[in-house]
Amino acid sequence: NLAVGSVNSLAEAVYIKEEAARIAGVSKSTVAKWALKGTFPCRAAGYVMRIERIPFLKWVDENRKVV
């Protein structure tokens, strides 16, 4: 059995494409292309892509271009 807090923790551990796109400053299709290339861990849940939060944020931080 999952504890009640576990469900919230799991939900906060992932982003959907829209959230990831906003954070990275790119389109949802760009996030999908990156994910399909294996750029960062993700999994599909029906029609919704779930992107693992910590690896994604680390990748964005490491690949952000300084202007």
Side-chain angles (χ1 to χ4, degrees), residues 29-48:
S29 62
T30 297
V31 170
K33 288 175 190 173
W34 288 342
L36 292 172
K37 287 182 182 179
T39 304
F40 39 77
C42 71
R43 58 191 176 278
Y47 290 101
V48 180

Side-chain angles (χ1 to χ4, degrees), residues 15-35 39-40 51-53 55-67:
Y15 291 128
I16 58 174
K17 280 188 299 192
E18 291 80 3
E19 294 168 320
R22 181 180 47 78
I23 291 165
V26 297
S27 68
K28 293 182 294 186
S29 62
T30 297
V31 170
K33 288 175 190 173
W34 288 342
T39 304
F40 39 77
I51 300 163
E52 294 183 25
R53 182 168 106 26
F56 176 73
L57 292 175
K58 182 178 178 185
W59 182 85
V60 168
D61 188 50
E62 291 172 352
N63 291 280
R64 188 161 298 210
K65 294 184 178 173
V66 178
V67 178

